[in-house]
């Protein structure tokens, strides 16, 4: 049992308590939904239950919180984690294992469970959630729903009695979210565990029954009752939380459902008592969305794009967007929505096909040049924010254009007022919630007054109240200024209420380009797109309406909602015409003047003799190799080490294309190093060798090319480049977790070992964040292509460091909480899921490398063999 009694909590950095006088009892085996707007305090209540408060997140606690009769202040976080298992909102950031199996095993490792028992337990739990075939997969490469299953497995493996889900639907498309709720409900029924779901998407959670809804507002519990009573009261909308669509429709029709205990379950809802009121409302208010026609704002012509050259992320996409339209781009995660937005902004360039803006081919424009017409609000606000203060962040784009400061202030304050951010204009960005940061990024784009506005998942992190305010502002902006708006989203409510037309993507192809009412009335289309039928459409089917009348029913609801918001009747452009499909071949072209070396610096799984070596062996071999190469200046030895290193890399089964970029960069770096040695010390070679044989130039010329200089520079190039093949082999062939376990065997603290493992794991994540942040800066008008001066490009790259640090700190905070909640650091020792013993071939290689190292030391310091000069 979980029992709050007059409980309050105040964070150290806050002047007022975040939650006040909470009195709440959650009984064993109950299934509870804690709902509320962003900043209401619902996540703080969750952090109190799982022990992060007060043991990790400090502050002032008043009152009492008991779990199974024991005060949480008298328990430690590890003791609480044995009772409460937490699945955090950001599943990607909370993964601590390099594979699914490792991540599930993490808690068992911290409890020192033996390797054999651990593998058995992992297989059993993975089978429970249907992930038994993915144990060797990377967590970030499985689908959104599978990520939720992995995260859930990581807490189920502890056999906790309470499962706490913090915003479990935040990153999932509708159909996957539905499956996640079904999985949670199935586990609840089969195991009898207490389930607590923290979520503001009430209708999605109510896809399966819950015992109670606990509604939180401004840190207080304002209602704790059955779902039926909460829905009947109308308090959800009043407190900034969306109510189910079918409930809104019943309310619009004037239905009396105050005594209907089945109102919370759409499946069991008896339509008979409401039929007359609904049909009367539909007949009297029946409206259809009118069609209109404007000039073309942008056009895709048979656009194809592939990230890897094998599978097309978009395949032959063609469509037109008219000026002043509000259009939603719908589809499941991975359908190609964000790829489409990146192509439109110039972040990516089509492999074939073309994109035109206002009738002009945009292929030669840089990202910064396109930003004068197109404003792009990225999904993650941390990838866009580059200034400490809110005002400076929003003003950044205008200052980039050289606008006078008086005009900058006027325009910034105007847009901050529109986005409900004016009172915070002197605040630091770091003090804002995720949803508030999202509004800051939207404001920073809107202030530029773009002709086309693209918002990638604009409702992520936004509660219903703020989401409604933001969307109302965008709706008004569209109506008054005629700005074209594209929403890249899987939020069906957003699409239904605000976008008359929708383009539906699946597997890189357009499934539909139609008015939103027709999309939502096509069950087969929704199934193929991994979307789900809304309760509004299902309500029309319960009424027995025909397909055409169902479309009209949806349109009537849309018009009614727009009138309620004080918006004129929407229009939707749908012109039946042939889109030119002339194929414009651009294979191999990239962004205008934008050259990048693409790195993939992470473990590459394969079955080679290098991969099979123990991590300790590879580490000692690498250290020995470095020492040998740094000790000697003998070209013969360096040539042998280089050949051996290249052979090792060639036989590692890592594809050349994977490591070629880093090998090229190293080679360029060593040649540049040799050039600077010659530039600043051209006589270093002759001085060391003792002779000066001139090949080009006069004897008294300092920079005359000599045989000794060339020989010395050859030694330098070989010396440093011969290190790289072994270092690259180590990076790509060493599984970070197995390496950590190997270091731990060498008596290195497991905390240090695991920190090294995480560093390896997060290198590609940081590189990906850097690219996203750079893209975000360019989309705000910062020129980083070859069209900009070198000085400006350097300054622009420097500005990406601040958001990169902020993004990394957020990830560190999340992963730290995830590790603490799963017992990391509790005991002096731990076991390892990826432990690999030292075998005979490991010992042979270790002794061989040590022997060569000893030989190199003897040659260098005993026999004084430093250089070999054959001339």
């Amino acid at each position: 049992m979980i029992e709050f009694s007059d409980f309050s909590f105040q964070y150290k950095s806050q002047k007022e308590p975040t939650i006040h006088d909470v009195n709440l009892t959650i009984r064993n085996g109950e299934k509870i939904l804690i709902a509320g707007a962003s900043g209401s305090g619902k996540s703080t209540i969750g952090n109190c239950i799982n022990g992060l408060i007060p043991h990790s997140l400090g502050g002032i606690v008043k009152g009492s919180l008991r779990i199974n009769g024991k005060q949480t202040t008298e328990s430690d976080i590890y003791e609480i984690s044995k009772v409460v298992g937490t699945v955090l909102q950001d599943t990607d950031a909370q993964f601590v294992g390099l594979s699914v199996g490792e991540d599930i095993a993490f808690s068992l490792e911290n409890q020192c469970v033996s390797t054999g028992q651990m593998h058995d337990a992992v297989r059993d739990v993975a089978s429970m959630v249907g992930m038994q075939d993915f144990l060797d997969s990377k967590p970030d490469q499985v689908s959104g729903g599978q990520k939720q299953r992995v995260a859930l497995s990581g807490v189920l493996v502890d056999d906790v009695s309470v499962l706490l889900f913090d915003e479990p639907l935040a990153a999932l498309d509708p159909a996957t979210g539905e499956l996640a709720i079904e999985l949670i409900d199935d586990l609840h029924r089969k195991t009898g565990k207490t389930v607590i779901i923290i979520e503001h998407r009430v209708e999605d959670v109510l896809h399966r029954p819950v015992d109670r809804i606990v509604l939180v507002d401004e840190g207080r519990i304002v209602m704790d009752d059955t779902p039926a009573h909460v829905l009947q009261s109308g308090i959800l909308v009043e407190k900034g939380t969306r109510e189910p669509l079918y409930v809104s429709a019943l309310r619009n029709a004037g239905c009396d459902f105050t005594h209907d205990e089945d109102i919370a379950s759409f499946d069991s809802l008896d339509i008979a008592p409401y039929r007359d009121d609904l049909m009367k409302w539909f007949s009297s208010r029946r409206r259809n969305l009118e069609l209109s026609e404007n000039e073309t704002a942008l056009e895709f012509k048979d656009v194809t794009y592939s990230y890897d050259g094998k599978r097309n992320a978009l395949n032959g996409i063609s469509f037109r967007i008219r000026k002043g339209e509000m259009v939603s781009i719908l589809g499941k995660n991975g359908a190609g929505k964000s790829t489409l937005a990146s192509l439109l902004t110039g972040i990516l360039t089509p492999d074939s096909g073309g994109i035109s803006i206002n009738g002009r081919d945009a292929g030669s424009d840089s990202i910064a040049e396109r930003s004068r017409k197109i404003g792009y609000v990225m999904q993650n606000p941390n990838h866009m924010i580059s200034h400490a203060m809110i005002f400076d962040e929003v003003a950044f784009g205008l200052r980039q254009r050289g606008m006078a400061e008086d005009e900058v202030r006027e325009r910034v304050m105007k847009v901050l007022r529109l986005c409900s951010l004016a009172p915070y204009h002197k605040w630091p960005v770091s003090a804002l919630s995720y949803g508030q940061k999202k509004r800051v990024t939207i404001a920073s784009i809107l202030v530029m007054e773009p002709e086309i506005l693209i918002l990638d998942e604009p409702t992520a992190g936004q509660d219903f109240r703020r989401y409604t305010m933001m969307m109302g502002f965008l709706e008004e902006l569209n109506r008054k200024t005629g700005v074209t708006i594209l929403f890249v989203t899987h939020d069906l409510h957003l699409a239904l209420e605000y976008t008359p037309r929708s383009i539906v993507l699946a597997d890189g192809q357009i499934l539909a380009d139609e008015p939103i009412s027709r999309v939502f009335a096509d069950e087969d289309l929704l199934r193929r797109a991994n979307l789900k039928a809304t309760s509004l459409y299902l309500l029309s089917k319960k009424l027995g309406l025909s397909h055409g009348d169902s479309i009209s029913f949806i349109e009537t609801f849309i018009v009614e909602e727009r009138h309620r918001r004080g918006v004129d009747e929407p229009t939707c452009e749908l012109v039946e015409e042939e889109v030119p499909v002339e194929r414009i071949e651009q294979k191999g072209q990239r962004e205008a003047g934008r050259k990048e070396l693409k790195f993939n610096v992470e473990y590459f799984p394969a079955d080679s003799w290098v991969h099979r070596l123990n991590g300790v062996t590879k580490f000692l071999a690498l250290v020995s190799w470095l020492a040998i190469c740094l000790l000697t200046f003998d070209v013969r030895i360096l040539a042998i080490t280089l050949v051996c290193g290249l052979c090792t890399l060639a036989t590692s089964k890592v594809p050349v294309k994977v490591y070629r970029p880093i090998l090229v960069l190293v080679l360029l770096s060593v040649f540049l190093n040799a050039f600077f040695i010659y530039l600043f010390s051209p006589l270093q070679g002759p001085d060391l060798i003792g002779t000066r044989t001139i090949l080009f130039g006069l004897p008294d010329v300092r920079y005359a090319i000599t045989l000794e200089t060339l020989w010395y520079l050859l030694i330098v190039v070989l010396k440093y480049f011969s290190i790289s093949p072994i270092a690259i082999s180590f990076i790509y062939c060493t599984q970070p977790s197995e390496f950590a376990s190997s270091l731990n065997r060498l008596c290195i603290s497991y905390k240090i070992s695991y920190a090294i493992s995480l560093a390896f794991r997060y290198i590609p994540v940081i590189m990906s964040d850097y690219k996203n942040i750079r893209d975000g800066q360019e989309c705000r008008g910062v020129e980083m292509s070859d069209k900009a001066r070198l000085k400006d490009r350097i300054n622009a790259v420097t500005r990406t460091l601040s958001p990169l640090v902020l993004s990394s700190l957020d990830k560190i905070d999340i992963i730290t909480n995830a590790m603490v909640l799963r017992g990391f650091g509790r005991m002096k020792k731990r076991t390892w899921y990826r432990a690999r013993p030292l075998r005979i071939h490991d010992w042979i290689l270790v002794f061989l490398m040590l022997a060569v190292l000893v030989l190199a030391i003897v040659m260098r310091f005993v026999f004084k063999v430093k250089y070999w000069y054959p001339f």
Side-chain angles (χ1 to χ4, degrees):
M1 178 184 287
I2 299 169
E3 186 175 8
F4 289 86
S5 298
D6 298 323
F7 188 89
S8 299
F9 177 75
Q10 179 179 333
Y11 288 100
K12 288 181 180 178
S13 59
Q14 302 295 326
K15 293 182 180 180
E16 298 291 334
T18 300
I19 54 175
H20 313 259
D21 304 320
V22 172
N23 289 284
L24 173 67
T25 299
I26 301 174
R27 290 173 286 276
N28 292 335
E30 278 195 298
K31 185 181 177 189
I32 303 295
L33 167 61
I34 300 179
S38 297
S40 62
K42 61 184 187 297
S43 290
T44 299
I45 291 176
N47 288 335
C48 293
I49 294 172
N50 64 28
L52 285 176
I53 292 174
H55 300 292
S56 182
L57 305 173
I60 301 171
V61 175
K62 293 182 179 179
S64 167
L65 169 57
R66 295 177 180 273
I67 298 179
N68 291 340
K70 188 171 183 179
Q71 288 280 0
T72 55
T73 52
E74 297 173 1
S75 307
D76 61 32
I77 193 168
Y78 307 112
E79 188 177 350
I80 295 172
S81 70
K82 300 301 294 179
V83 179
V84 181
T86 306
V87 178
L88 299 176
Q89 176 179 348
D90 189 346
T91 51
D92 280 328
Q94 80 179 61
F95 288 136
V96 293
L98 197 68
S99 69
V100 168
E102 286 176 57
D103 200 79
I104 297 173
F106 184 74
S107 179
L108 301 179
E109 291 177 316
N110 298 322
Q111 298 170 45
C112 295
V113 174
S114 68
T115 304
Q117 288 179 302
M118 197 186 307
H119 280 262
D120 290 340
V122 167
R123 280 192 295 270
D124 290 344
V125 173
S127 297
M128 188 186 302
V129 298
M131 290 299 293
Q132 66 274 12
D133 295 329
F134 298 89
L135 293 179
D136 292 325
S137 301
K138 294 181 180 179
D140 57 353
Q141 291 181 346
V142 297
S143 69
Q146 289 171 329
K147 288 177 182 178
Q148 283 284 355
R149 292 169 184 264
V150 175
L152 179 57
S153 300
V155 298
L156 284 175
V157 77
D158 263 340
D159 194 28
V160 293
S161 56
V162 179
L163 293 174
L164 174 64
F165 297 89
D166 188 1
E167 303 276 5
L169 305 177
L172 302 181
D173 57 61
T176 305
E178 194 172 77
L179 291 174
I181 292 300
E182 290 171 359
L183 173 66
I184 293 171
D185 184 63
D186 190 49
L187 283 170
H188 175 249
R189 287 186 291 104
K190 287 181 178 179
T191 65
K193 296 180 186 295
T194 304
V195 172
I196 303 169
I197 302 173
I198 299 172
E199 182 61 73
H200 63 262
R201 291 163 59 174
V202 173
E203 180 173 4
D204 293 325
V205 176
L206 292 181
H207 172 60
R208 287 292 184 267
V210 300
D211 296 310
R212 287 185 289 144
I213 296 178
V214 177
L215 186 63
V216 184
D217 183 54
E218 296 183 353
R220 302 179 188 276
I221 294 177
V222 294
M223 194 166 188
D224 178 2
D225 211 329
T226 64
H229 289 164
V230 172
L231 294 183
Q232 290 163 358
S233 70
I235 195 174
L236 287 177
V237 176
E238 179 187 331
K239 297 302 180 182
T241 301
R242 182 191 293 277
E243 66 181 2
L245 280 176
Y246 70 92
V247 173
S248 296
L250 292 173
R251 208 179 296 282
N252 287 349
C255 299
D256 179 14
F257 47 77
T258 54
H259 301 291
D260 189 344
E261 291 301 320
D262 288 334
I263 192 70
S265 172
F266 181 82
D267 290 339
S268 59
L269 178 70
D270 181 9
I271 198 65
Y274 312 119
R275 183 182 301 278
D276 290 344
D277 287 333
L278 282 168
M279 293 305 296
K280 181 180 178 181
W281 168 79
F282 177 42
S283 299
S284 63
R285 302 292 182 89
R286 182 167 183 154
R287 301 289 294 275
N288 293 323
L289 296 175
E290 295 182 359
L291 305 180
S292 65
E293 182 175 352
N294 287 319
E295 297 176 9
T296 299
L298 64 92
E299 182 177 7
F300 272 55
K301 301 176 184 177
D302 200 24
V303 170
T304 295
Y305 182 80
S306 172
Y307 288 97
D308 57 10
K310 297 178 181 178
R311 179 181 176 274
N312 288 334
L314 290 178
N315 190 15
I317 296 293
S318 296
F319 63 86
R320 288 182 179 181
I321 303 293
R322 302 287 174 168
K323 289 184 178 179
E325 278 196 288
M326 292 179 71
V327 179
S328 54
I329 312 294
L330 291 176
K332 66 179 181 179
N333 295 336
K337 305 188 302 295
S338 294
T339 302
L340 188 149
S342 296
L343 286 164
L344 180 56
T345 56
I347 292 172
L348 302 175
T349 299
D351 293 333
S352 63
I355 300 170
S356 62
I357 300 172
N358 293 332
R360 175 184 170 275
D361 181 28
S364 62
D365 293 343
S366 68
I367 303 172
E369 288 172 334
R370 289 198 198 186
S371 72
R372 296 183 177 276
K373 298 284 186 183
I374 299 173
Y376 181 36
V377 181
M378 304 179 82
Q379 182 173 349
N380 186 342
N382 291 328
H383 290 160
M384 295 187 68
I385 293 171
S386 58
H387 291 76
M389 307 303 291
I390 292 174
F391 184 92
D392 293 334
E393 178 62 28
V394 179
F396 173 64
L398 299 178
R399 288 169 174 167
Q400 278 288 115
R401 294 181 179 179
M403 188 174 289
E405 196 62 28
D406 288 345
E407 187 176 355
V408 168
R409 180 168 183 80
E410 181 181 345
R411 286 176 60 169
V412 169
M413 292 307 299
K414 178 182 178 181
V415 78
L416 285 176
R417 283 192 291 272
L418 289 171
C419 294
S420 303
L421 290 168
Y424 313 112
H425 72 280
K426 293 184 179 180
W427 279 35
V429 176
S430 59
L432 302 181
S433 68
Y434 183 89
Q436 289 170 324
K437 288 181 182 179
K438 188 85 172 180
R439 281 186 283 150
V440 168
T441 59
I442 292 172
S444 70
I445 295 298
L446 290 177
V447 78
M448 308 281 285
E449 299 181 352
E451 295 179 18
I452 301 169
L453 183 62
I454 306 171
L455 296 101
D456 194 353
E457 299 294 355
T459 57
Q462 300 282 349
D463 62 69
F464 179 61
R465 180 190 295 144
R466 291 178 175 83
Y467 148 81
T468 303
M469 291 171 59
M470 180 188 73
M471 291 304 300
F473 161 62
L474 293 173
E475 203 170 33
E476 182 182 8
L477 185 75
N478 168 260
R479 190 171 65 254
K480 290 183 176 179
T481 69
V483 62
T484 304
I485 303 179
L486 273 69
F487 299 101
V488 178
T489 184
H490 55 233
D491 187 334
L492 299 186
H493 288 164
L494 178 154
L496 177 71
E497 294 179 344
Y498 295 95
T499 62
R501 172 187 167 200
S502 181
I503 297 172
V504 183
L505 293 176
D507 299 322
Q509 295 184 320
I510 292 179
L511 293 186
D513 181 357
E514 297 183 318
I516 192 66
S517 54
R518 297 184 194 175
V519 170
F520 277 30
D522 190 334
E523 294 183 70
D524 180 63
L525 169 66
L526 295 172
R527 178 185 54 76
R528 288 187 291 143
N530 209 46
L531 303 175
K532 68 173 186 176
T534 66
S535 60
L536 191 63
Y537 168 73
L538 296 176
L539 183 64
S540 75
K541 300 305 290 181
K542 278 201 173 192
L543 287 170
L545 299 180
S546 66
H547 181 72
D549 283 343
S550 290
I551 293 174
S552 294
F553 186 84
I554 294 171
E555 292 180 347
T556 302
F557 178 84
I558 293 171
V559 173
E560 186 84 356
E561 286 296 296
R562 290 178 69 92
H563 282 317
R564 183 180 58 78
R565 298 195 303 268
V567 181
D568 294 333
E569 184 174 322
T571 59
C572 174
E573 205 292 314
L574 185 67
V575 180
E576 299 294 335
E577 58 179 312
E578 286 295 319
V579 178
V581 290
E582 301 174 22
R583 199 170 186 85
I584 305 173
E585 293 296 336
Q586 296 178 335
K587 198 71 177 178
Q589 294 184 21
R590 304 316 302 163
E591 298 87 339
R594 194 180 189 217
K595 299 179 179 65
E596 296 180 1
L597 277 174
K598 295 186 177 181
F599 295 98
N600 183 24
V601 187
E602 59 180 317
Y603 171 67
F604 185 91
D607 184 25
S608 71
W609 70 274
V610 187
H611 284 81
R612 289 191 291 271
L613 291 171
N614 187 280
V616 169
T617 305
K618 285 182 276 194
F619 179 65
L620 293 177
L622 176 63
V623 172
S624 301
W625 200 273
L626 287 170
I628 292 166
C629 292
L630 293 175
L631 281 171
T632 186
F633 285 82
D634 192 318
V635 171
R636 297 167 296 181
I637 297 175
L638 291 172
I640 292 171
T641 58
L642 179 58
V643 170
C644 291
L646 291 173
C647 289
T648 300
L649 192 54
T651 57
S652 66
K653 294 187 180 180
V654 178
V656 176
K657 66 179 181 180
V658 172
Y659 60 78
R660 184 192 292 120
I662 194 169
L663 201 61
V664 169
L665 183 62
V666 171
L667 189 59
L668 290 174
S669 299
V670 296
F671 272 110
L672 191 62
N673 178 55
F675 172 74
F676 279 112
I677 289 174
Y678 172 71
L679 189 64
F680 293 108
S681 185
L683 300 178
Q684 190 166 346
D687 290 344
L688 288 171
I689 296 173
T691 61
R692 190 165 187 251
T693 307
I694 296 175
L695 298 177
F696 303 100
L698 300 174
D700 56 346
V701 175
R702 177 177 170 82
Y703 287 98
I705 303 296
T706 68
L707 188 61
E708 290 80 4
T709 297
L710 293 177
W711 186 254
Y712 176 72
L713 294 180
L714 174 64
I715 292 172
V716 170
V717 169
L718 285 175
K719 187 177 185 66
Y720 294 110
F721 189 64
S722 60
I723 296 170
S724 59
I726 293 299
I728 292 171
S729 298
F730 177 78
I731 292 171
Y732 287 106
C733 301
T734 306
Q735 213 275 358
S737 299
E738 191 271 321
F739 178 55
S741 71
S742 301
L743 289 179
N744 191 208
R745 292 177 118 194
L746 294 177
C747 299
I748 296 174
S749 165
Y750 74 81
K751 295 180 181 179
I752 296 174
S753 301
Y754 210 87
I756 295 171
S757 168
L758 282 178
F760 273 104
R761 180 181 181 271
Y762 273 91
I763 287 173
V765 175
I766 292 171
M767 293 174 68
S768 175
D769 279 349
Y770 169 75
K771 183 186 181 303
N772 289 329
I773 291 165
R774 174 175 170 167
D775 291 341
Q777 295 299 300
E778 290 189 86
C779 287
R780 296 177 65 189
V782 179
E783 187 64 81
M784 295 190 190
S785 72
D786 289 346
K787 297 180 179 182
R789 294 179 302 174
L790 179 60
K791 177 184 176 182
D792 293 336
R793 291 166 65 186
I794 292 173
N795 289 337
V797 170
T798 303
R799 272 196 297 269
T800 64
L801 296 179
S802 174
L804 183 62
V805 170
L806 289 174
S807 177
S808 298
L809 288 175
D810 278 352
K811 283 183 170 61
I812 290 170
D813 189 44
I814 294 170
I815 200 168
T816 299
N817 288 339
M819 292 172 69
V820 168
L821 287 171
R822 294 165 71 183
F824 187 81
R826 181 186 186 186
M827 303 179 73
K828 293 182 179 180
K829 295 182 179 181
R830 81 191 301 268
T831 50
W832 300 86
Y833 181 81
R834 285 283 184 181
R836 186 194 294 268
L838 282 165
R839 304 186 187 279
I840 185 66
H841 54 265
D842 292 298
W843 290 110
I844 292 173
L845 184 61
V846 168
F847 284 125
L848 179 62
M849 290 304 303
L850 289 177
V852 175
L853 177 59
V854 170
L855 180 62
I857 293 171
V858 170
M859 294 289 290
R860 174 71 174 82
F861 295 105
V862 178
F863 294 103
K864 307 296 183 183
V865 177
K866 186 174 183 181
Y867 293 98
W868 176 69
Y869 185 62
F871 305 105

